[in-house]
Amino acid sequence: MSDIELRHLTALAAVADEGSFGRAAARLGYTQSTVSQRIAALEKAAGGAVFDRPGGPRPVRLTPLGALVLDRGREMLAKAEEMNAAIERFQAGESRIDIGTFQSVTNVILPVVVRRLREEFPGCDIRLSEEEPENPRIGDLDLLFYDGRLDGDVESVQLLAEPYLLVARAGVFPDGPVAVRRLDAAPMVAWPLTCDQPAMEQAMTRAGAGPRIVFRTASNEALLSMVRAGMGSVVLPWLVVHGAGAHNDDRLRVHELRPAPPPRRIHLHWPAGRSHSPLAARTIQLAAEVATGLAAQTPRPLWTATGGTPPGGTAGGGCAPPERSPPPASRWTRTPSGAWPPGASPPSRPASAPACQATLRSPRR
């Protein structure tokens, strides 16, 4: 029985349905001799005849052994068809992807990425989670956005190295850049001392500022609300400022800092050596494309996955140690990790693909 193959069962089902080897061959697109050879191989493997062959115009009939093999064989053929269909859906992007994210990426980068994925892969199942433990791990995630590098067996691409900006209530500082030393003893609101925040505050201290922190929260909107209320100013990465529309708020003013603190680096991580699904590969490419588009929206240079590392730039310590620059997107190739080159067409998908799902779970603060 170990020598029975799906092609043997396909021939058996066709002959049984059509009643003759000739009509079965026409249905399958084979020669009659090919069908006869496959039935002979099946009979050898099964240890007996599967058809009675009366000869002449009379149809062939299944033997008891043939009926048994056909009954089980149809089940195997159906399962094989289901598997092939599942593989086709997977290659077309109708698979599940689990993505770890954080607040500013969720607000600015992921909406564009998710929309594009839903357009290109209507059958996809996107799961997002916002969690920020002290020592993040990929775990069961396919991809993880994080403002720093991760320990362990992971690969990553740097998406952005974005400047920190000062957001103050209108009238607190003159328009234009603000010297960091002017923030010494000034009331400030800030993020908790996690990830890159300690390194940024240490850089401020080295530049001559010891601000008086009057409120800490992980909520970007809460920080900006306190700035509007006059509780203090805040230093935030460009992506947060951009996503909140702070430049367009008449109650706020956005200033560059002199000297500028080291930038916050946003990376996209995945388990090392894992072959990406087409959906995950496309997600990586779209994230890099969105990051490049964001870099073009600010007068200050942002260094992205396509632009390398800023001249003389450092990672700012803490959660964001230095790394070698990833290759420009124009040189991306189909790699073992599954990255798609820009301009590559995603795999085709069946017209009957089910609606895409997107779920956000475990929101961070």
Side-chain angles (χ1 to χ4, degrees):
M1 290 297 292
S2 60
D3 294 330
I4 293 179
E5 302 176 12
L6 290 177
R7 57 179 181 164
H8 301 154
L9 298 175
T10 300
L12 173 67
V15 174
D17 292 342
E18 299 296 334
S20 79
F21 283 67
R23 288 194 296 271
R27 168 176 153 180
L28 297 174
Y30 301 143
T31 64
Q32 184 170 333
S33 62
T34 298
V35 173
S36 296
Q37 290 169 8
R38 292 188 178 179
I39 294 299
L42 174 61
E43 291 177 328
K44 180 178 179 181
V50 295
F51 287 110
D52 287 326
R53 300 165 174 82
R58 290 179 295 175
V60 297
R61 295 186 301 272
L62 285 166
T63 65
L65 175 61
L68 173 67
V69 174
L70 179 61
D71 182 53
R72 301 294 188 270
R74 288 194 191 278
E75 295 178 4
M76 295 176 63
L77 290 172
K79 290 185 179 297
E81 289 181 5
E82 291 177 4
M83 181 180 66
N84 288 334
I87 291 173
E88 288 178 2
R89 290 193 299 270
F90 176 86
Q91 296 295 350
E94 291 183 39
S95 54
R96 170 173 167 171
I97 184 170
D98 290 82
I99 304 172
T101 177
F102 60 93
Q103 207 172 165
S104 48
V105 169
T106 302
N107 292 340
V108 182
I109 295 178
L110 276 177
V112 181
V113 172
V114 169
R115 176 179 58 79
R116 292 282 300 277
L117 290 175
R118 288 168 60 90
E119 291 173 352
E120 297 179 17
F121 307 116
C124 64
D125 182 2
I126 304 171
R127 308 292 178 95
L128 307 178
S129 61
E130 277 192 358
E131 299 176 1
E132 192 176 4
E134 285 295 323
N135 298 300
R137 294 288 184 269
I138 287 284
D140 294 331
L141 296 172
D142 298 294
L143 300 173
L144 174 62
F145 291 91
Y146 188 64
D147 51 350
R149 299 294 299 277
L150 296 183
D151 296 329
D153 194 16
V154 296
E155 299 176 29
S156 68
V157 61
Q158 179 178 295
L159 298 178
L160 286 173
E162 49 174 341
Y164 279 94
L165 301 172
L166 173 67
V167 183
R169 194 177 183 187
V172 173
F173 299 101
D175 290 345
V178 172
V180 170
R181 64 178 179 275
R182 293 197 59 183
L183 302 179
D184 189 40
M188 301 283 291
V189 297
W191 280 339
L193 291 171
T194 61
C195 200
D196 201 45
Q197 186 69 15
M200 187 276 291
E201 294 189 13
Q202 291 165 14
M204 300 271 288
T205 300
R206 290 193 298 270
R212 178 166 50 91
I213 305 299
V214 297
F215 177 53
R216 290 191 186 272
T217 178
S219 169
N220 297 332
E221 185 53 44
L223 290 172
L224 293 175
S225 293
M226 291 299 101
V227 173
R228 296 185 190 99
M231 194 168 187
S233 303
V234 65
V235 175
L236 292 170
W238 178 86
L239 195 64
V240 176
V241 175
H242 170 78
H247 288 92
N248 301 319
D249 191 326
D250 292 338
R251 296 165 292 177
L252 302 175
R253 293 293 183 270
V254 180
H255 306 268
E256 295 182 14
L257 289 168
R258 294 289 186 269
R264 180 178 76 158
R265 298 174 182 269
I266 296 178
H267 300 78
L268 182 54
H269 304 266
W270 57 86
R274 177 181 294 181
S275 296
H276 291 309
S277 68
L279 181 61
R282 183 61 174 147
T283 301
I284 295 171
Q285 184 184 25
L286 287 174
E289 290 177 4
V290 173
T292 300
L294 288 169
Q297 297 181 39
T298 177
R300 287 195 64 188
L302 287 183
W303 297 278
T304 70
T306 60
T309 302
T314 61
C319 294
E323 64 167 341
R324 61 183 178 84
S325 302
S330 60
R331 302 206 314 269
W332 280 20
T333 58
R334 177 69 174 175
T335 66
S337 61
W340 287 92
S345 299
S348 60
R349 57 177 175 83
S352 60
C356 176
Q357 304 177 50
T359 305
L360 179 64
R361 59 184 176 85
S362 302
R364 190 194 81 168
R365 291 189 283 270

